[in-house]
Amino acid sequence: MIMHTLKSFLATVVFLALAFSGSSQDKDSLTISTIFGNALSDNTAFHNLEYLCKKIGGRLCGSPQSMQAVKWSETVLKNMGADTVYKQELKVRHWERGEKEIATVRSKTKGSHDLHVCAIGGSIGTGEKGITANVVEVKDFEELAKLGIKEIEGKIVFFDHPADPTYYYTFNAYGGVAKFRVFGAVQAARFGALAVIVRSATLSHDDYPHTGVMHYADTVKQIPAVAVSTNDADNLDQWLKSDPGLSLYLRTTCKELPEVTSYNVIGEIRGTEKPDEIIAFGGHLDSWDIGEGAHDDGIGVVQTMEVLRLFKALGIKPKHTIRVVVFMDEEMAQRGAARYAESAKPPEAGKTKHIAAIETDRGGFTPTGFSIDASPEQVKKIREWKSLLIPYGLYSLEKGGSGVDIRDLKPLGIPLIALVTDSQRYFDYQHAANDTFDKVNEREMQLGSASIAALVWLIDKYGL
Amino acid sequence: MIMHTLKSFLATVVFLALAFSGSSQDKDSLTISTIFGNALSDNTAFHNLEYLCKKIGGRLCGSPQSMQAVKWSETVLKNMGADTVYKQELKVRHWERGEKEIATVRSKTKGSHDLHVCAIGGSIGTGEKGITANVVEVKDFEELAKLGIKEIEGKIVFFDHPADPTYYYTFNAYGGVAKFRVFGAVQAARFGALAVIVRSATLSHDDYPHTGVMHYADTVKQIPAVAVSTNDADNLDQWLKSDPGLSLYLRTTCKELPEVTSYNVIGEIRGTEKPDEIIAFGGHLDSWDIGEGAHDDGIGVVQTMEVLRLFKALGIKPKHTIRVVVFMDEEMAQRGAARYAESAKPPEAGKTKHIAAIETDRGGFTPTGFSIDASPEQVKKIREWKSLLIPYGLYSLEKGGSGVDIRDLKPLGIPLIALVTDSQRYFDYQHAANDTFDKVNEREMQLGSASIAALVWLIDKYGL
C-alpha cells in the first residue's frame, strides 16, 4: 500500500508535468494512461466491494440489508470525493424468500431426490404444507399450449429449455430463455398448472439455481415458481423419461410484504464551467438475496464511485457536473430508474440537463468497449476516440442497447452508453448464490472503473 | 449431451447445405460460425483437459507424469481424428522438487513465521540441514551491486520487486520481474550470498508461491533459490523493517537427476492437395509440478487437438497437411521446441515445408486476437480476414512476438502466430499450485479452440 500510494503520487506529478506540453492527442493519451495506471495501482474500490459483499451481503430492495447499503453508499460517496451527496426517495416492493426451499422428486423406479432450487423473485409461496403433483416437461410456450388444459391441469410444469451455447455474446443466449422464468408461471397457470419449475437461465452446468424476477398477470391465477439448477434440470429430464409418473413435492414460504420507502443515492462533483450540465453514470445497489451481488451489480456501484476518486486523485476538475447514480431496485421493478428519470425531466430537473448517461451492469469482467444508444453523430464522435481507447481493450464502440437503469432517459433525448465487458462468465454467477466477492478479479474490475472514468473525462472535455 | 450431439449434427447439415450457395465472404462467415458453434456446444476438449489435469496432473519434463501425458497425447490425437500420430524423441533434464520446502523467519521482536515458498525450477537444494542466515532485501540487481560483497556475503538475498500493475497487458509486467527469478541466484552468488528468496512474479496478492525456471552460470557458485508468495514477501519486508537482524531458515531438497528420454507428440490430418505443405499448431504438454498445468499449458494442448475434431465434425478436408505439435519441455530448457525446429529443416524435413506455425500458450482466457511474427504482406493478409474474426472478439491482429515453442522456426522464414487471450488473470495462476482445472471456464477455452481452427481453415483455404 505504501508503494501504491507513492506510485499514485508520482504518476500524478508526472501527469501534471507533462499535461502542459505536447500535442492534444498526446495529452489525451497521457491523461487516459494516468487514469488507468492509477486505477490499477489502487485498491480502494476493491475494498469497497469487499465491504458491500461480505459485510452487507445480498440486498434485495425493501430488505434491511438494502437500507444498510444505502447508508454505506452515502458514506463512501463522500469518502470518494463527492462535494454533494443526497438521496431520492421512492417506494419499493418488499418480497421475502422465507425458509430454504424444498423440491423433492419421488419416483417408484428412481427413488427420492432433493433438487437444488430457489424461489423465483416475486413468486407466491406454496403454503406451509407444500404442493405435490406429477410433472409435465415442456420445452417452450408452444409445447405448453399444444399440451393444453387436458395434460397440464393439476400438474407442475417443468420448463426445460437450455440456453443456446452457440452465441458468442452470452446475453443473447440469456435473452432466449429468461422469458420462461419471467412468464412461465402465468403461462402455465392459464392451463391449470399448480406450480412451475424452471431450468436456470445460465450456460454453466452446475448445482446453483439462478433466481431473478417473474411477473404475474392480473387476470390469471398466481401459482408458485422455482428455478432449478442446470444439473438437476438434466437429472429431472432423465428421471421423467424413465418414470413419467414421478411426483414432485415443492415447498416455498416466500411472500410479498407491504411496500417500503427506499432510495437512490447520488454523489456529484460540481462542474467548474457548466454545473447545470450533467454527465451521469451508475450501477444498481440492490441485488438478489441468495448471493452477495458482486458481479450483479456491486461492481457497477463501486466502479462508478471510483470515477470520483480517480478525478480527485489526478486533480481533474470537470467542467460539467459529474454524477454517480446509485440506483435502487433494478432487480424487482426498476422503480429507482423511474424515479431518477422523473428527476431528469421538468419540473424537477430545473435548469439542469443531462449530456450523457452511462450504466455499468454487465459484470466486472475485462471491458471490451461501449454500447451506445445515441444519434449517429454521437456514435461517430465516440468512435473518433477509438485510438485513445483501444490500448485498454476497448475495441468495440458500437450502436446498441444501454441498460435497464438508464433506458427511461431515452425519451429525453439523452445519449445512453453501457460499459460492455467480456460476457463469457457472467451468467455463471448472475442471480445465483455464487455471485460472490471471491469471483471478482481486481484488475478486471478496475479496468472497468478506468474505462468509465476515461469516457467521462473525454465527454467532459469534448462534449457529445 | 444428446442435445449437443444432435445440435452439432444439425449445424453440420445446415452448414453443408448453405456452403454451396452465396458469396465467398458469406460462405467463409458461415463456416467460421459453424466452427464456433460446434466448439461451444461440444465438451470433448473440456473433458480431455479434465483428464490431463485431474488424472495425470502436474507433469514436469522427465517426470513419470510427463511420460503418462505423452501416452495420453497419442491416444487422444487418434481419438480426435488424426490420420497419423508419431513421436519425436529428445533428451530432457530431470529435476525433482523433493520434500515440501521450508522457510522459517525467526525474529526476536516478531516471533517465528513459516513463509509460503517453493523451490525455483532447476535450483540446487540447501542440503538436508538447511541454511540459516540473515536476510538482505534488495529491489533489483543495481541495488545488489551497490551493496556489494561487504553487505551480501554470507546472507540470504531477498529480491522484492513487485510486478508493475500499471501495464494493461500483464505479460509486460511479468517481463519486468521474471529476471529476478531466472538470474537472481547467479547475481547474488557473485557477491557471496548463500541463497536467494524471490518475490513471486505475479500481480495477485495471495499465498501462492510461483515457481518457474532459473539458470546458473558455469563460472559462478550455485546457490539455492526459492520463490515466496506476494503476501509473505510483503510480510518479510515489514518484519525486516522492524528487525533487520532477523534470521531465515531455508530447507529444500530439490535435485537434478540424469537426463532422460522424452518426446514431442505429433498428430496430423494429411492434406488432400498439398500434403507436403504443413500448417502446424500446438501447445506444450509439460507443466510445473506444483499445479495441474491447466492454463499453462494443458489448455494449449487440448485446444490444438480440438482443431482436428472440429475439422472432422464439419467434414472439412484440408488441402494442406494440418499438424498438431504437442511440445515437450517448454518450461525447463525448450528442448522439444529445438527438436521440432530441427525436424522442420533439411535434411529431416525432406520435401515438406511449413506455411505457418501457431502457438497457444497464454492461458485459456477469452481470445482477443493473434500476434503475428511474419512479413508485412503476411500480416496484411491476416488483417484482411478481420471482418470474419471480429464477431468472435478477435479484434487484435497485430505484428508481434509469437511463442517460445515456435520461435526456433523463425530462421526458416516460417510465419509465426500466437493466439492472444485476455491477459488479466494469467499470472494469478502461472507456475503456481492454483493453476488447476477448476480455474478454467469451458466457453473461454473453447473460443480459443475455435479461433485457432478458424485461422487454420483460412490459411488452408487462402494461403499466407
Side-chain angles (χ1 to χ4, degrees):
Chain A
M1 271 308 289
I2 291 166
M3 182 209 64
H4 286 164
T5 309
L6 178 61
K7 184 160 190 110
S8 300
F9 173 74
L10 289 175
T12 308
V13 170
V14 171
F15 161 66
L16 292 172
L18 294 180
F20 299 100
S21 64
S23 75
S24 164
Q25 172 83 7
D26 284 356
K27 277 194 246 174
D28 289 352
S29 156
L30 180 64
T31 302
I32 289 172
S33 154
T34 312
I35 288 171
F36 275 88
N38 190 300
L40 290 169
S41 309
D42 188 284
N43 55 21
T44 308
F46 198 55
H47 285 169
N48 286 343
L49 183 69
E50 184 174 24
Y51 190 96
L52 182 62
C53 290
K54 308 309 288 184
K55 300 286 180 183
I56 299 178
R59 44 197 182 276
L60 194 55
C61 67
S63 68
Q65 292 88 339
S66 71
M67 291 311 299
Q68 257 184 283
V70 164
K71 285 208 176 113
W72 169 88
S73 298
E74 293 181 278
T75 307
V76 177
L77 282 166
K78 281 172 202 156
N79 293 345
M80 299 298 266
D83 51 41
T84 317
V85 175
Y86 59 99
K87 292 185 293 188
Q88 290 183 329
E89 192 178 308
L90 59 142
K91 287 282 179 204
V92 293
R93 287 172 59 180
H94 184 194
W95 177 85
E96 278 190 355
R97 182 168 302 279
E99 296 164 40
K100 180 84 200 83
E101 304 87 338
I102 299 171
T104 308
V105 167
R106 291 197 183 103
S107 159
K108 280 173 192 152
T109 57
K110 295 288 167 182
S112 173
H113 301 277
D114 284 332
L115 306 178
H116 293 89
V117 297
C118 66
I120 297 175
S123 173
I124 62 166
T126 59
E128 287 294 332
K129 287 190 186 162
I131 291 170
T132 302
N134 291 128
V135 177
V136 183
E137 177 174 337
V138 299
K139 186 145 178 91
D140 50 31
F141 297 141
E142 291 67 37
E143 189 177 353
L144 179 81
K146 219 161 133 187
L147 291 173
I149 288 183
K150 201 178 145 197
E151 301 289 336
I152 301 296
E153 193 166 35
K155 308 267 176 64
I156 295 171
V157 171
F158 170 32
F159 287 98
D160 188 26
H161 195 114
D164 184 347
T166 66
Y167 286 107
Y168 175 75
Y169 195 61
T170 61
F171 285 81
N172 294 334
Y174 177 72
V177 295
K179 61 186 171 194
F180 301 110
R181 183 195 77 215
V182 178
F183 302 114
V186 75
Q187 292 298 330
R190 290 184 200 281
F191 301 103
L194 299 184
V196 295
I197 179 167
V198 184
R199 184 187 181 95
S200 287
T202 175
L203 288 153
S204 60
H205 301 272
D206 59 31
D207 294 326
Y208 292 102
H210 293 239
T211 189
V213 79
M214 52 95 64
H215 295 310
Y216 289 118
D218 288 343
T219 55
V220 180
K221 191 183 173 211
Q222 298 190 353
I223 61 171
V226 300
V228 62
S229 74
T230 50
N231 280 348
D232 275 342
D234 289 343
N235 290 334
L236 183 54
D237 170 75
Q238 289 301 310
W239 294 328
L240 279 168
K241 279 192 171 63
S242 67
D243 179 8
L246 63 74
S247 76
L248 178 61
Y249 169 71
L250 279 184
R251 182 178 183 278
T252 61
T253 60
C254 40
K255 61 184 169 200
E256 191 89 23
L257 301 170
E259 293 195 346
V260 298
T261 299
S262 191
Y263 305 92
N264 293 329
V265 186
I266 292 174
E268 298 176 349
I269 296 177
R270 219 173 141 73
T272 53
E273 293 178 19
K274 297 178 176 179
D276 288 338
E277 296 189 10
I278 295 156
I279 305 168
F281 39 96
H284 66 85
L285 187 60
D286 62 306
S287 81
W288 286 102
D289 52 332
I290 56 178
E292 296 171 2
H295 284 290
D296 187 13
D297 182 30
I299 288 273
V301 170
V302 301
Q303 282 175 330
T304 48
M305 289 172 165
E306 169 77 349
V307 174
L308 302 186
R309 193 197 64 75
L310 286 166
F311 270 60
K312 286 276 174 183
L314 304 186
I316 301 170
K317 294 189 199 312
K319 295 188 286 184
H320 307 82
T321 291
I322 66 171
R323 175 188 285 178
V324 181
V325 187
V326 178
F327 290 96
M328 179 53 67
D329 184 25
E330 190 269 351
E331 295 294 0
M332 195 58 96
Q334 299 85 50
R335 303 255 187 94
R339 177 69 194 85
Y340 186 74
E342 202 55 42
S343 75
K345 282 196 281 232
E348 195 173 336
K351 287 183 299 178
T352 68
K353 68 167 189 173
H354 281 66
I355 62 171
I358 306 168
E359 179 166 340
T360 162
D361 186 18
R362 303 192 190 188
F365 307 103
T366 298
T368 58
F370 295 104
S371 177
I372 309 156
D373 189 0
S375 71
E377 294 70 34
Q378 287 163 332
V379 174
K380 186 161 169 276
K381 183 140 195 184
I382 290 175
R383 292 176 70 102
E384 278 163 11
W385 299 328
K386 201 159 184 162
S387 67
L388 295 166
L389 300 173
I390 281 181
Y392 308 98
L394 302 165
Y395 284 93
S396 175
L397 305 170
E398 304 294 336
K399 189 162 173 69
S402 60
V404 164
D405 277 321
I406 58 175
R407 67 181 174 197
D408 290 352
L409 300 171
K410 189 162 164 95
L412 310 182
I414 300 168
L416 308 179
I417 303 166
L419 178 70
V420 181
T421 61
D422 176 18
S423 76
Q424 300 309 321
R425 291 161 282 155
Y426 183 68
F427 292 98
D428 295 1
Y429 309 122
Q430 193 217 29
H431 302 175
N434 62 342
D435 183 9
T436 48
F437 177 70
D438 58 299
K439 304 308 187 308
V440 177
N441 176 283
E442 184 173 356
R443 290 182 60 84
E444 290 190 277
M445 182 186 106
Q446 283 298 80
L447 288 174
S449 305
S451 298
I452 301 162
L455 183 66
V456 169
W457 181 78
L458 285 165
I459 295 172
D460 184 57
K461 180 163 181 187
Y462 294 110
L464 249 195
Chain B
M1 271 308 289
I2 290 165
M3 184 208 62
H4 286 165
T5 309
L6 178 62
K7 181 157 193 113
S8 299
F9 173 75
L10 289 174
T12 307
V13 170
V14 171
F15 162 65
L16 291 173
L18 295 179
F20 299 100
S21 64
S23 75
S24 163
Q25 171 83 8
D26 284 356
K27 277 195 249 177
D28 290 352
S29 157
L30 180 64
T31 302
I32 289 171
S33 155
T34 311
I35 288 171
F36 275 88
N38 190 299
L40 290 170
S41 308
D42 189 283
N43 55 21
T44 309
F46 198 55
H47 285 170
N48 286 343
L49 182 68
E50 185 175 23
Y51 189 95
L52 182 62
C53 290
K54 307 309 287 183
K55 300 286 179 183
I56 299 178
R59 45 195 181 278
L60 195 55
C61 66
S63 68
Q65 292 88 340
S66 72
M67 291 311 299
Q68 256 184 283
V70 164
K71 285 208 175 113
W72 169 87
S73 298
E74 293 181 277
T75 307
V76 177
L77 281 166
K78 280 173 202 155
N79 293 344
M80 299 299 266
D83 51 40
T84 317
V85 174
Y86 59 99
K87 293 184 291 188
Q88 290 183 329
E89 192 177 308
L90 58 143
K91 287 280 177 205
V92 293
R93 288 173 59 180
H94 183 194
W95 177 85
E96 278 191 354
R97 182 167 303 279
E99 295 164 41
K100 179 84 200 85
E101 302 87 338
I102 300 170
T104 308
V105 167
R106 290 196 184 103
S107 159
K108 278 175 194 151
T109 57
K110 294 289 166 181
S112 173
H113 300 277
D114 284 332
L115 306 178
H116 293 89
V117 297
C118 65
I120 296 176
S123 173
I124 62 165
T126 59
E128 288 293 332
K129 287 188 185 164
I131 291 170
T132 301
N134 291 128
V135 177
V136 183
E137 177 175 337
V138 299
K139 185 145 178 91
D140 50 31
F141 296 142
E142 291 66 38
E143 189 177 352
L144 179 80
K146 218 160 133 190
L147 291 173
I149 288 182
K150 200 176 149 200
E151 301 288 337
I152 301 295
E153 193 166 35
K155 308 268 176 64
I156 295 171
V157 171
F158 170 33
F159 287 98
D160 187 26
H161 195 115
D164 184 346
T166 65
Y167 286 107
Y168 175 76
Y169 195 61
T170 60
F171 284 81
N172 294 333
Y174 177 72
V177 295
K179 61 187 173 193
F180 301 111
R181 183 194 76 215
V182 178
F183 302 114
V186 75
Q187 292 298 331
R190 289 184 200 281
F191 301 103
L194 299 183
V196 297
I197 178 167
V198 184
R199 183 187 181 95
S200 288
T202 175
L203 288 153
S204 61
H205 301 274
D206 59 32
D207 294 326
Y208 292 102
H210 293 239
T211 187
V213 78
M214 53 96 62
H215 296 309
Y216 289 118
D218 288 344
T219 53
V220 181
K221 191 183 173 211
Q222 299 191 352
I223 61 171
V226 301
V228 61
S229 74
T230 50
N231 280 347
D232 274 342
D234 288 343
N235 290 334
L236 183 53
D237 170 75
Q238 288 302 310
W239 294 328
L240 279 167
K241 279 192 171 60
S242 67
D243 179 9
L246 63 74
S247 76
L248 177 63
Y249 169 71
L250 279 184
R251 182 180 182 277
T252 61
T253 60
C254 40
K255 60 184 170 200
E256 191 89 23
L257 300 169
E259 293 196 348
V260 298
T261 298
S262 191
Y263 304 92
N264 293 329
V265 186
I266 291 175
E268 297 176 349
I269 297 177
R270 220 174 140 72
T272 53
E273 293 178 20
K274 297 178 175 178
D276 288 339
E277 296 188 11
I278 295 156
I279 305 168
F281 40 95
H284 66 86
L285 187 60
D286 63 305
S287 80
W288 286 101
D289 52 330
I290 55 178
E292 296 171 3
H295 284 291
D296 186 13
D297 181 29
I299 287 274
V301 170
V302 302
Q303 283 175 329
T304 48
M305 289 172 165
E306 170 77 348
V307 173
L308 301 186
R309 193 196 64 73
L310 286 166
F311 270 60
K312 285 277 173 182
L314 303 185
I316 301 170
K317 293 190 198 313
K319 295 188 284 183
H320 307 82
T321 292
I322 66 171
R323 175 187 285 177
V324 181
V325 186
V326 177
F327 291 96
M328 179 52 68
D329 183 26
E330 191 269 351
E331 296 293 1
M332 195 59 97
Q334 301 84 49
R335 302 255 186 96
R339 176 70 193 84
Y340 185 74
E342 202 55 41
S343 75
K345 280 197 282 231
E348 196 174 335
K351 289 182 300 179
T352 67
K353 68 167 189 172
H354 281 65
I355 62 171
I358 306 167
E359 178 166 340
T360 162
D361 186 20
R362 302 191 190 189
F365 307 102
T366 298
T368 59
F370 295 104
S371 177
I372 308 156
D373 189 0
S375 70
E377 295 70 33
Q378 288 163 330
V379 174
K380 187 163 168 275
K381 182 139 197 185
I382 291 174
R383 292 177 70 102
E384 279 164 11
W385 300 328
K386 200 159 185 163
S387 67
L388 295 165
L389 300 173
I390 281 180
Y392 308 98
L394 302 166
Y395 283 92
S396 175
L397 305 170
E398 304 294 336
K399 190 161 173 69
S402 60
V404 164
D405 277 321
I406 58 175
R407 67 182 175 196
D408 290 351
L409 300 171
K410 187 158 164 97
L412 309 181
I414 300 168
L416 308 180
I417 304 166
L419 178 71
V420 182
T421 61
D422 176 19
S423 75
Q424 301 308 321
R425 292 161 281 155
Y426 184 68
F427 293 99
D428 295 0
Y429 309 123
Q430 194 216 28
H431 302 176
N434 62 342
D435 182 9
T436 48
F437 178 70
D438 59 298
K439 304 308 187 309
V440 177
N441 176 284
E442 183 173 356
R443 290 182 60 84
E444 290 190 278
M445 182 187 107
Q446 283 297 81
L447 288 174
S449 304
S451 298
I452 301 162
L455 183 65
V456 169
W457 181 77
L458 286 165
I459 295 173
D460 183 57
K461 181 165 180 184
Y462 294 111
L464 249 194

